[in-house]
């Protein structure tokens, strides 16, 4: 039972907002001069818990906010609001994650491993193993900018699994490699499962999801559509995919526009009212205690952005 296991990742009311500014310089102006640009909320009030030893698959259509959420869990980008509590070291495996194009594969191994907390001595000890697992051979001395997507994925995966993280996040990194390397990587992930690691697995391979995951987090246009046992969630997800594909091109576009508009019109205050309403229904009351409303408001509006500063 998960209730008796240690919580490794606790995500509460997390959002991520982007400003649709034409240029990077415009974003700076928006901070300095309070210039307003249209907003887009890639994640809208995401909450879930992951326990020690769990493997959680994250599924959803393109643009559902999966990668953004995993980058926040990995600590690569900060949330706009809400809270993420992590118990342990995380390692994100994604194409290009932490890799420097002008540096060789060998130099990237040292740089990324140092960033993940390894000492130079430990890196020297594992260097040959990392290179061997990556299958890059003589290409390890070449600049990473000359690598294919599959080669970058192999390098990133090899570095991450040899740093022995508590929490491993695999974001589509296996979808671009060859079948042999994918098989070897899945075996490595299964080995981590046996060690009791907490693993997040982002994939469009529904077969891999059903095989590997204990629970599935279904993201849908920035929100959690469903979170629960693998078979239950994947059966519902399969039904959604079938019904969506049955729509005409115009109907699919109308569906996407509806949710994109919701992502642009989302506000923390509207979300706060939604959560209060759901909480009242849950408790079968008309009014929540004041301290409960204050607690929910504070959790939802907890800010990470420069606006807070």
């Amino acid at each position: 039972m998960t209730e008796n296991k240690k919580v490794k990742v606790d995500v509460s009311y997390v959002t991520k907002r982007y400003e649709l500014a034409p240029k990077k310089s415009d974003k700076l102006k928006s901070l300095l001069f309070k210039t307003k640009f249209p907003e887009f909320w890639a994640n809208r009030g995401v909450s879930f818990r992951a326990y020690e030893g769990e493997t959680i698959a994250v599924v959803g259509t393109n643009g559902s906010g999966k990668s953004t959420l995993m980058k926040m869990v990995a600590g690569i980008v900060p949330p706009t609001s809400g809270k993420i509590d992590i118990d342990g070291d995380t390692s994100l495996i994604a194409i290009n994650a932490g890799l420097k194009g002008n540096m060789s594969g060998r130099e990237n191994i040292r740089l990324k491993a140092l960033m993940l907390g390894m000492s130079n001595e430990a890196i020297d000890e594992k260097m040959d193993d990392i290179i061997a697992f990556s299958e890059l051979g003589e290409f390890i001395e070449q600049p990473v900018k000359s690598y294919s997507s599959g080669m970058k994925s192999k390098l990133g995966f090899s570095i991450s699994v040899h740093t022995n993280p508590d929490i491993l996040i695999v974001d589509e990194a296996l979808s671009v490699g060859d079948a042999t390397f994918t098989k070897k990587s899945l075996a490595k992930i299964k080995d981590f499962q046996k060690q009791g690691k907490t693993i997040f697995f982002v994939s469009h391979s529904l077969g891999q999801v059903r095989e590997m995951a204990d629970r599935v987090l279904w993201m849908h246009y920035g929100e959690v559509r469903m979170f629960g046992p693998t078979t239950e969630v994947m059966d519902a997800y399969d039904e959604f995919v079938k019904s969506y594909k049955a729509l005409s091109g115009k109907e699919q576009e109308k569906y996407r526009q509806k949710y994109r508009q919701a992502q642009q019109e989302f506000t923390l205050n509207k979300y706060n009212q939604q959560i209060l309403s759901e909480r009242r229904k849950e408790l079968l009351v008309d009014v929540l205690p004041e301290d409960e409303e204050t607690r929910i408001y504070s959790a939802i509006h907890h800010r990470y952005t420069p606006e807070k500063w």
Side-chain angles (χ1 to χ4, degrees):
M1 295 292 289
T2 55
E3 289 80 3
N4 299 322
K5 290 186 177 181
K6 193 175 187 180
V7 176
K8 299 295 286 184
V9 178
D10 192 352
V11 176
S12 302
Y13 306 119
V14 163
T15 70
K16 184 60 182 178
R17 182 197 66 185
Y18 292 102
E19 286 190 328
L20 302 179
K23 297 181 291 186
K24 289 184 178 180
S25 59
D26 292 328
K27 293 183 180 181
L28 180 59
K29 290 176 185 176
S30 72
L31 290 175
L32 298 177
F33 305 110
K34 296 184 178 180
T35 305
K36 287 293 182 181
F37 292 99
E39 297 178 342
F40 181 82
W41 296 80
N43 288 122
R44 300 182 284 158
V46 177
S47 297
F48 67 89
R49 281 182 174 177
Y51 295 87
E52 187 174 35
E54 266 198 308
T55 297
I56 294 177
V58 186
V59 301
T61 56
N62 290 332
S64 60
K66 304 185 300 293
S67 293
T68 301
L69 178 60
M70 290 299 99
K71 286 177 183 177
M72 290 191 288
V73 171
I76 293 175
V77 298
T80 297
S81 63
K83 285 189 175 184
I84 299 179
D85 293 322
I86 305 292
D87 181 9
D89 297 323
T90 62
S91 184
L92 172 67
I93 304 173
I95 302 168
N96 291 333
L99 300 178
K100 303 298 181 184
N102 291 326
M103 298 171 65
S104 70
R106 185 184 296 274
E107 291 169 334
N108 267 284
I109 291 173
R110 186 168 299 279
L111 175 63
K112 190 169 182 181
L114 286 169
M115 292 172 66
L116 292 171
M118 290 178 66
S119 66
N120 273 308
E121 292 75 15
I123 296 169
D124 290 337
E125 289 178 8
K126 293 190 176 183
M127 181 67 76
D128 290 343
D129 291 337
I130 294 172
I131 294 172
F133 191 94
S134 74
E135 302 177 352
L136 291 175
E138 61 188 24
F139 288 102
I140 201 67
E141 309 299 346
Q142 299 302 311
V144 165
K145 64 183 178 182
S146 67
Y147 287 12
S148 66
S149 294
M151 292 168 70
K152 291 174 184 176
S153 179
K154 287 181 176 183
L155 179 61
F157 189 94
S158 187
I159 296 170
S160 295
V161 297
H162 283 85
T163 59
N164 199 31
D166 299 305
I167 301 161
L168 184 67
I169 304 169
V170 185
D171 184 3
E172 291 289 355
L174 304 182
S175 62
V176 293
D178 55 75
T180 303
F181 187 81
T182 297
K183 185 176 180 180
K184 182 170 72 170
S185 300
L186 289 173
K188 189 69 175 179
I189 293 173
K190 288 181 179 179
D191 184 47
F192 275 1
Q193 287 178 318
K194 292 176 183 176
Q195 296 175 38
K197 306 282 188 184
T198 301
I199 301 168
F200 288 92
F201 190 76
V202 182
S203 178
H204 285 292
S205 173
L206 305 188
Q208 287 180 0
V209 169
R210 287 185 181 273
E211 177 188 354
M212 303 288 291
D214 299 308
R215 290 195 290 166
V216 174
L217 180 69
W218 175 7
M219 293 295 298
H220 194 65
Y221 292 92
E223 295 182 310
V224 176
R225 179 76 169 259
M226 197 172 178
F227 183 41
T230 299
T231 300
E232 181 182 327
V233 178
M234 289 309 296
D235 286 350
Y237 183 66
D238 284 342
E239 284 300 314
F240 162 75
V241 172
K242 287 178 185 176
S243 62
Y244 180 77
K245 286 183 176 179
L247 298 175
S248 67
K250 287 185 177 180
E251 289 172 330
Q252 288 183 2
E253 178 61 24
K254 185 178 179 181
Y255 183 90
R256 291 193 298 268
Q257 287 293 346
K258 172 188 171 184
Y259 280 96
R260 286 172 183 161
Q261 184 175 353
Q263 287 180 279
Q264 289 180 307
E265 295 177 352
F266 176 88
T267 69
L268 291 179
N269 286 333
K270 286 181 183 178
Y271 177 59
N272 185 73
Q273 291 303 315
Q274 173 191 328
I275 295 300
L276 291 177
S277 177
E278 291 173 359
R279 186 66 174 151
R280 286 193 291 266
K281 288 180 182 178
E282 181 184 335
L283 297 176
L284 301 176
V285 297
D286 294 326
V287 180
L288 288 176
E290 187 175 342
D291 60 340
E292 176 73 352
E293 289 204 11
T294 301
R295 182 193 67 78
I296 292 172
Y297 181 90
S298 298
I300 289 174
H301 287 76
H302 182 269
R303 307 290 288 198
Y304 283 82
T305 64
E307 294 169 25
K308 177 182 175 183
W309 307 338

